[in-house]
Amino acid sequence: MPVTVLLVDDEPLVRMGLRAVLEAQPDIRVVGEAADGAAVIPLVRQLRPDVVAMDVRMPLMDGIEATRAVLRSVAEPPKILVVTTFESDEYVYEALRAGANGFLLKRARAAEIVHAVRLVAEGDSLLFPASVRQLAAEYGDRGGNAAAQDTLRRAGLTERESEVLRLMARGMSNAEIAARLVVGTETVKSHAGAVLAKLGARNRTQAVITAYESGFVAPG
């Protein structure tokens, strides 16, 4: 089955470019487009895309609010890939904190766009971990976020779960973590799922941000 994608951007040329790149791939299909975040929820419910490529800055409803609305209102929400002009942008960080799975630069090469869509659709690795670290260092209170510290403290992660979280923060996939810890991939999936559940995180990115903001992992 192909990965289905909904494009959300107020610039028609951006949508046109993303569609051309993605539809050139046999395993990816663009199922719809929208020009503003306010139109996302009905389209997600109608089209059931696997991934929403969402502009972070739009006139009526920006990508942060649209991300929150989708995750709050849709029973089985799609993965959300924030599309942005600037990598070091507080809007991008807030979208990731809200539950977006990753972000994509508008100037990215075709191969990078395709890789980003495939990676967030699979959901077993962190997209652009170095960039997430940079955003966390700039906007994440540098380990001084009391709410994140409380979340981590109350989670009660086991030693192995803590180890998995640290490796997730380094951007390792389940297969890479399994090789590092000399365990099976299914065991890593189980530990990663437990980490997300205990932290109340929707995805790996949100879990890693909590780890950075609490000081559990240093973003630098």
Side-chain angles (χ1 to χ4, degrees), residues 1-217:
M1 294 289 290
V3 175
T4 55
V5 182
L6 172 65
L7 303 177
V8 185
D9 198 294
D10 62 336
E11 298 181 40
L13 287 177
V14 172
R15 298 198 307 271
M16 186 185 305
L18 289 173
R19 178 181 281 273
V21 167
L22 295 175
E23 291 199 328
Q25 305 301 313
D27 61 333
I28 299 176
R29 182 164 60 93
V30 176
V31 293
E33 296 184 16
D36 194 83
V40 171
I41 289 179
L43 284 175
V44 165
R45 287 176 172 157
Q46 175 190 348
L47 302 171
R48 305 303 301 174
D50 298 311
V51 177
V52 176
M54 180 121 63
D55 188 12
V56 73
R57 296 176 183 266
M58 292 177 285
L60 297 179
M61 180 183 287
D62 64 29
I64 302 170
E65 287 306 314
T67 294
R68 289 180 180 139
V70 168
L71 297 178
R72 182 176 60 244
S73 305
V74 179
E76 296 181 4
K79 306 294 176 59
I80 296 178
L81 184 60
V82 172
V83 182
T84 179
T85 303
F86 303 106
E87 180 177 3
S88 183
D89 186 340
E90 190 169 5
Y91 274 74
V92 174
Y93 187 69
E94 287 304 317
L96 295 177
R97 291 185 80 221
N101 297 75
F103 68 91
L104 175 66
L105 294 175
K106 292 186 179 183
R107 65 175 183 274
R109 295 173 297 176
E112 293 172 330
I113 295 170
V114 171
H115 172 70
V117 168
R118 287 176 178 153
L119 195 62
V120 298
E122 293 167 1
D124 75 340
S125 189
L126 190 67
L127 183 62
F128 307 139
S131 297
V132 174
R133 280 198 299 271
Q134 179 182 340
L135 287 167
E138 190 164 356
Y139 301 114
D141 291 339
R142 304 179 187 276
N145 188 312
Q149 291 171 351
D150 186 58
T151 296
L152 195 67
R153 183 170 57 252
R154 295 175 62 179
L157 299 182
T158 66
E159 184 176 346
R160 180 46 61 93
E161 289 164 355
S162 297
E163 195 170 11
V164 167
L165 178 57
R166 290 189 181 94
L167 296 176
M168 285 166 52
R170 294 178 60 181
M172 289 188 176
S173 66
N174 287 343
E176 290 168 333
I177 294 173
R180 171 65 65 87
L181 300 180
V182 196
V183 297
T185 304
E186 290 303 316
T187 299
V188 173
K189 286 183 179 179
S190 177
H191 288 313
V195 169
L196 267 59
K198 288 183 176 182
L199 293 179
R202 292 185 175 274
N203 52 54
R204 295 168 88 97
T205 304
Q206 206 173 39
V208 166
I209 285 175
T210 297
Y212 287 145
E213 290 188 343
S214 66
F216 178 76
V217 177

